[in-house]
Amino acid sequence: MGASRLSCGSMGGTQSLALPQGRGPHQVGCTDVMVGHTQQGLFLRLFYPCLPRAGAEQPLWIPRYQYCSGLADVAQRSRHWCAPLLSVAIGGFLFPAGSCRVPVSWNGPFKPCSSGYPLIIFSHGLGAFRTLYSSICSELVSWGFVVAALEHRDHSASATYFCTAEAGREEWIPYQRVPQGQKEFYFRKKQVHQRAEECVRALRLFQDINSGKSVPNVLHQDFELSVLKGSVDLSKVAVMGHSFGGVTAVLALVKEPSFRCAVALDAWMFPLENSLYPEVPKPVLFINTEEFQTPESVAKMKRLSSRNSQTKIITILGSVHHSQTDFTFLTGKLISRVFRARGTLDPYKGLDITSRAALAFLQRHLDLEEEFNQWDNLLEGIGDSVVPEAPFCRSNL
């Protein structure tokens, strides 16, 4: 798999970030979209097929220093050293020699499609944010999808913000741990319902755009959302997510009939109440890593697969929980150790398996006229470094 390797200078050596370019036939563009001036609005990074543009700017992988501080808080590490370490991605003061960027075209010209691109709404994991899944989002877009990567405002993101109507002042929403004395299940259940509702609102946003309704972008990016009109097929919509985002995707199937299927990357099934399992109406592809799931979590996945023969469970061997995030492509041993970002499997091979399995599943359930069914064997757990169902491996959630 090809990669764009950008060096990030550091004192006493060089640390590289290699975020892979999509391997499909489409070039990838992205922009940020914020709708509304309150916490009840939406914030997402939009990835889309784009036209070539010479000298295209590439967006920063971590767009603001506040996200570095938030990641340090989530990891329960000192902001004093952890946030500057991460700020390598934005040219922080300890690493002034360079910055790391996503190999896509920032605000690149949208590539129209008369038949319409299928749409994926993507939900991030606990303590993450909209940009940390750029590799999988870019890969799917390169094969002809539009992907809206949400940044949730339920206090599960490491940090996020909204802009008030008064002079565009930023209001930051910090990451919040489970309050002392409160049971985690009830705290997380409330969050997962808010997250799923945000996924539904993201779909409504695209419905508004497709109907010709004016949708102002609070961030005033050099990208007109109206160009999407007629180029997104809203009859072919899926929801996808990682960890907390994986169970968010499952719940979104309950809340919105227009979501035809879900892809759940190493889903954290804990927050979904038992009464909802019989109500999940559509197929789910669970792509697990080897060192995260518990027997209890896998039992919940099997409960869904027993009700729907099209729900599949596979495990990628040699992978860890963060293998499905961009962190796995950080070659610096220190960052990988802090965030447990790598298993024994090559990260590019892990992305290859994840994306191909997802594409095969999406072709099947969105009725796509592509050749992604060439990877159907992966859905049965057949292939190198993949097995059906899930080993009972325990890890800290």
Side-chain angles (χ1 to χ4, degrees):
M1 180 178 289
S4 173
R5 296 182 180 272
L6 296 119
S7 294
C8 301
S10 66
M11 293 186 293
T14 298
Q15 185 168 316
S16 296
L17 174 68
L19 289 181
Q21 293 176 326
R23 298 196 308 161
H26 299 277
Q27 295 198 27
V28 181
C30 81
T31 192
D32 281 338
V33 178
M34 185 181 291
V35 178
H37 290 282
T38 69
Q39 190 168 340
Q40 286 67 47
L42 281 175
F43 191 19
L44 59 90
R45 174 153 287 188
L46 180 67
F47 295 85
Y48 54 87
C50 77
L51 299 170
R53 183 172 66 178
E57 178 187 359
Q58 296 182 341
L60 293 165
W61 177 58
I62 298 181
R64 303 283 292 276
Y65 186 82
Q66 287 91 333
Y67 292 105
C68 298
S69 299
L71 286 170
D73 292 343
V74 172
Q76 294 185 291
R77 307 285 180 170
S78 168
R79 284 190 177 190
H80 179 70
W81 68 268
C82 192
L85 174 66
L86 285 164
S87 72
V88 65
I90 57 173
F93 63 88
L94 286 183
F95 305 93
S99 61
C100 297
R101 295 178 179 268
V102 182
V104 299
S105 177
W106 180 243
N107 290 331
F110 179 71
K111 182 179 180 180
C113 176
S114 58
S115 59
Y117 299 112
L119 173 66
I120 299 171
I121 307 297
F122 193 98
S123 173
H124 65 72
L126 186 66
F129 47 93
R130 71 190 187 283
T131 71
L132 296 190
Y133 300 88
S134 295
S135 51
I136 184 64
C137 291
S138 297
E139 179 66 18
L140 293 172
V141 168
S142 77
W143 291 101
F145 290 78
V146 168
V147 178
L150 284 167
E151 191 162 286
H152 291 293
R153 290 171 166 175
D154 61 330
H155 294 278
S156 67
S158 63
T160 188
Y161 68 98
F162 63 94
C163 297
T164 66
E166 299 81 23
R169 182 169 54 88
E170 293 177 359
E171 291 281 349
W172 282 85
I173 304 168
Y175 175 78
Q176 184 179 354
R177 299 191 181 281
V178 180
Q180 188 172 3
Q182 188 171 145
K183 289 188 175 181
E184 184 172 22
F185 173 78
Y186 296 105
F187 183 72
R188 299 302 185 198
K189 183 179 79 168
K190 181 179 179 181
Q191 287 183 311
V192 76
H193 277 271
Q194 178 176 331
R195 290 164 135 262
E197 287 159 6
E198 287 176 331
C199 291
V200 175
R201 293 210 308 274
L203 174 59
R204 299 284 180 265
L205 170 67
F206 285 92
Q207 290 171 339
D208 286 345
I209 293 170
N210 222 36
S211 70
K213 184 177 178 180
S214 176
V215 180
N217 186 355
V218 170
L219 300 177
H220 305 296
Q221 301 286 4
D222 186 21
F223 184 89
E224 292 294 333
L225 293 174
S226 59
V227 301
L228 300 173
K229 182 181 178 182
S231 287
V232 179
D233 188 345
L234 295 179
S235 71
K236 298 178 178 179
V237 185
V239 59
M240 184 174 184
H242 174 248
S243 193
F244 205 5
V247 74
T248 301
V250 173
L251 181 57
L253 292 181
V254 177
K255 291 183 178 287
E256 177 50 57
S258 295
F259 290 134
R260 293 177 59 176
C261 61
V263 178
L265 306 179
D266 226 8
W268 184 37
M269 299 300 288
F270 171 75
L272 191 63
E273 57 260 51
N274 288 332
S275 63
L276 286 175
Y277 283 87
E279 297 183 32
V280 178
K282 306 289 176 61
V284 181
L285 171 61
F286 292 101
I287 306 179
N288 295 327
T289 64
E290 194 174 2
E291 297 186 7
F292 178 74
Q293 294 298 331
T294 64
E296 294 80 10
S297 184
V298 173
K300 293 179 178 181
M301 297 176 190
K302 288 185 174 182
R303 184 175 176 183
L304 290 180
S305 66
S306 69
R307 294 177 176 275
N308 189 325
S309 62
Q310 293 302 308
T311 288
K312 304 294 182 180
I313 308 169
I314 62 173
T315 295
I316 301 177
L317 301 178
S319 60
V320 297
H321 196 49
H322 286 305
S323 295
Q324 295 173 330
T325 74
D326 291 341
F327 278 113
T328 194
F329 296 102
L330 286 166
T331 57
K333 292 182 180 179
L334 180 57
I335 293 180
S336 292
R337 186 161 61 246
V338 169
F339 290 98
R340 297 191 69 241
R342 278 196 180 181
T344 58
L345 183 68
D346 177 79
Y348 295 93
K349 186 172 182 179
L351 175 63
D352 197 43
I353 295 170
T354 300
S355 59
R356 288 181 174 187
L359 289 169
F361 184 78
L362 292 168
Q363 167 151 339
R364 182 179 295 185
H365 298 293
L366 298 183
D367 298 322
L368 305 180
E369 296 180 1
E370 302 289 347
E371 297 181 355
F372 305 148
N373 55 354
Q374 64 184 296
W375 302 310
D376 274 353
N377 280 350
L378 291 173
L379 302 181
E380 307 303 327
I382 300 171
D384 187 27
S385 299
V386 62
V387 295
E389 298 192 348
F392 291 144
C393 298
R394 291 184 176 274
S395 175
N396 293 326
L397 294 179

